[in-house]
Amino acid sequence: MRAAWIEPPVDANGRTILFCHGGGFQVGSIRSHLGLMRRLADAAVSRVLAIEYRLAPEHKYPAAIEDAFAAYRWLLEQGQPASRIALAGDSAGAALAIQVALRAHDERLAVPACAALISPWLDLTMRGASYDSRAAVDIFSKPERLAAMARAYLGRNQIATASIASPVEADLSGLPPILVHAGDDDITLDDSFLFADRARRHGVDVRVRVWKGMFHHFQMFSDLHESGESLIELGKFIMERAPGTIEAQE
């Protein structure tokens, strides 16, 4: 698949973020998310591996998951320690990030050090009340659009409650520490709460921060003060959980 390295302005100390872009499994690319990934690379002092996984409707589920996991396995094969790999993604990309960690655990590979999720879309059934209560205030995403994307991604022969389609339905044991940032006006907000509740039952360390007045993946917009604050906090989390070579020695 097409991929790119995004380097921070200073030495990343051996730390890598595997970033899965959002776009409802149908749109998005390295180009569309380049600004976000550059700012995350800077905030986390990490190099970012950006990938362009196969998109629906031409490539239905689980093609995107297979591609994202292939990228993670490639990093391990290159000698990158899992303890210095962080997963990250926004919206649908956040779901792919979680699926990578789950599959690594299932296949008895080393699990990445942590995952940073931005406005995660983790429940393709869209059962949360926020899909209705935030529909009028989320200026970026609308429920009907996400529902159409879910249908295109799943195809006719799959169901949204399948654990590989909606991570909230999976056995979440074995996941690394996770930090979730979502907006209070985000239609997918309740996915974050449902996922965190279920993951904690499996002993997973999950923290959720909700940003007042913010919409679905507001971090895409660099001119927002909240966007910068969010990325700084996500970057700090990644540096703490996936220490680089120099930091680990300290």
Side-chain angles (χ1 to χ4, degrees), residues 14-16 47 74-85:
R15 181 169 41 241
T16 297
R47 63 178 185 166
W74 179 83
L75 280 173
L76 296 179
E77 291 170 351
Q78 303 308 302
Q80 178 73 24
S83 61
R84 292 181 186 142
I85 300 175

Side-chain angles (χ1 to χ4, degrees), residues 107-190:
E107 297 197 9
R108 303 189 180 217
L109 294 177
V111 174
C114 62
L117 309 183
I118 295 170
S119 293
W121 185 27
L122 304 172
D123 180 14
L124 270 60
T125 71
M126 299 171 58
R127 78 193 81 179
S130 58
Y131 286 96
D132 292 323
S133 63
R134 267 67 171 183
V137 293
D138 191 334
I139 64 173
F140 194 88
S141 292
K142 299 301 176 185
E144 58 272 15
R145 184 184 180 200
L146 285 189
M149 286 179 159
R151 290 192 297 269
Y153 173 59
L154 293 171
R156 296 181 178 180
N157 299 322
Q158 304 295 340
I159 58 174
T161 54
S163 60
I164 196 171
S166 296
V168 293
E169 301 292 349
D171 178 352
L172 302 176
S173 53
L175 286 177
I178 299 166
L179 178 60
V180 180
H181 278 194
D184 192 41
D185 291 350
D186 185 349
I187 61 172
T188 66
L189 176 61
D190 282 356

